[in-house]
Amino acid sequence: MTTEFAKLLQPHYSDFKVDKRILLSGHSHQAWPNVAKQGVLECYQHAAEHIDDKWQLAFKKAAQVKAFYASLLDDPTAQITLGASTHELLLRFLSDLSCFKTPRKRPIQIVTTDGEFHSMRRQLNRLKDLNIKIVNVPVQPSETLAERLIEEIDQHTDAVMLSAVFYGTSEIFNDIGHVARYAHTLTVPCLVDAYHALNVVPFSLKEWDLEHAFIVSGGYKYCQAGEGNCMLRIPPSHQGSPIITGWFAEFSLLEQSPGEVRYGVGSSAFDGSTYDPTSHYRAAAVFDFFAQQQLTPSKLRAVSQQQILYLANGIKSQPKLNAHFEFSSHSLTHNAGFLALTTPVAAQWVSALATQGVQCDSRGNQLRLGPAPYITTQQLEQAIETIDKVSKTIS
């Protein structure tokens, strides 16, 4: 199925030459289908024709992007705001926490894990210098993570910030809903980073028990939408008033006194300000393509699982390679969109494979191999052969 499916898709990605390169970087940056270029050109044309009146057309593209994300969340009426990066949206979320709006005697306390992506990890660590207590719960052993997180959440917790898939190991945090539900019982806001799950792991908020959670994600990875297409989903009935606020957040207000700062309802309270709409034109074209090709999360998950299994079994079948890598302890059924292999020289592997035409990346001691739906079985086999060849040069 993988090869036949991929060969049907490859002509649609000819600009990225996916049939001539082995791009195992799909967990970081997937190739764009050719229609993305038409989206970029359409944005330019609208700007040239309509000048400042282009914005009504641009906002329609933004609405398409929001609708696509809402469908992936299985939440058709989702309150979604958009941003250029997850970091930008994390700042809006943090600045909406009540602890940042009122004076207090005790330190602010945020519960998270030691397995978060750089955008969240770096910002939270930096906040420690502002008398903010960041509780970093170790991800491992992952089977007890939910229980250990819940033990750290109490009436003094101001927010919980976690990932649905851990970006280093590709392990799905299946019990994240238990944590979010417990936080909700204490009226503690919970934000879930779903970037490594969205559109490669089915992510229904109902099934994950995350209906009361904030969700941050984006289109750079498995949505093939490129940069500038991140989203923040706001829980129903939440009325925010973030301190970090752009003028778009008052669009829906008919009148406002000079010097007054008011907010629109729902997601509009979290809206930003003037932006480059090219990203949304590009994303809208890509998401239309996904619909035309029936690239649903369930189909993409099935293809991804086949590819991950093929890579894992192919590497395991090479006795010499087993001496180089340690496989993650979690099962492949609990694995997201890439294969993580533990090695003390992961960065060396990335450089060596790149010289042989195989693109991948590393995070710490994790070599990450991320296939994509346009990768054929023959390309995966070639990648395995290349890994075996390169192993002779790795010390």
Side-chain angles (χ1 to χ4, degrees), residues 296-310:
T296 62
S298 58
K299 180 181 289 187
L300 293 172
R301 172 65 172 167
V303 171
S304 175
Q305 287 261 281
Q306 289 180 24
Q307 293 174 326
I308 296 295
L309 181 62
Y310 191 91

Side-chain angles (χ1 to χ4, degrees), residues 146 149-150 153 160-162 173-192 203 205 208-215 233:
L149 282 164
I150 288 172
I153 303 170
V160 179
M161 302 175 71
L162 310 167
F173 186 9
N174 289 304
D175 293 331
I176 196 171
H178 301 331
V179 182
R181 184 172 61 250
Y182 181 76
H184 180 66
T185 64
L186 299 179
T187 66
V188 175
C190 179
L191 179 137
V192 173
F203 197 73
L205 297 187
W208 281 67
D209 205 3
L210 294 173
E211 293 175 281
H212 298 292
F214 291 80
I215 308 294
R233 180 261 187 180

Side-chain angles (χ1 to χ4, degrees), residues 43 64 70 75 78 82 121-122 242 252 260 284 291 294 315 380 390:
C43 181
Q64 284 183 251
D75 184 12
L82 302 175
R121 182 265 311 163
R122 176 180 170 83
S252 60
E260 185 180 10
Q294 299 182 330
I315 294 171
L380 294 178
V390 164

Side-chain angles (χ1 to χ4, degrees), residues 107-150:
I108 294 170
Q109 180 172 302
I110 297 174
V111 175
T112 185
T113 78
D114 65 357
E116 303 308 317
F117 185 67
H118 305 310
S119 294
M120 190 186 300
R121 182 265 311 163
R122 176 180 170 83
Q123 189 62 71
L124 292 183
N125 283 342
R126 188 67 180 87
L127 290 177
K128 292 178 181 179
D129 291 338
L130 299 179
N131 195 31
I132 296 175
K133 181 181 180 182
I134 306 298
V135 180
N136 279 298
V137 178
V139 169
Q140 299 301 329
S142 59
E143 58 268 19
T144 64
L145 177 57
E147 178 184 345
R148 289 183 286 113
L149 282 164
I150 288 172

Side-chain angles (χ1 to χ4, degrees), residues 14-77:
S14 58
D15 287 345
F16 273 70
K17 298 179 173 59
V18 298
D19 59 331
K20 297 178 175 60
R21 300 187 288 180
I22 302 178
L23 303 177
L24 294 184
S25 52
H27 55 290
S28 178
H29 177 218
Q30 291 208 3
W32 306 343
N34 296 345
V35 295
K37 179 167 59 179
Q38 299 307 313
V40 173
L41 294 174
E42 184 183 14
C43 181
Y44 179 89
Q45 194 62 41
H46 282 179
E49 291 178 5
H50 304 288
I51 317 298
D52 207 34
D53 290 337
K54 71 182 181 185
W55 285 106
Q56 294 307 313
L57 297 169
F59 292 154
K60 289 182 180 180
K61 298 297 182 180
Q64 284 183 251
V65 175
K66 292 180 182 181
F68 180 77
Y69 286 141
S71 70
L72 295 185
L73 298 175
D74 189 24
D75 184 12
T77 61

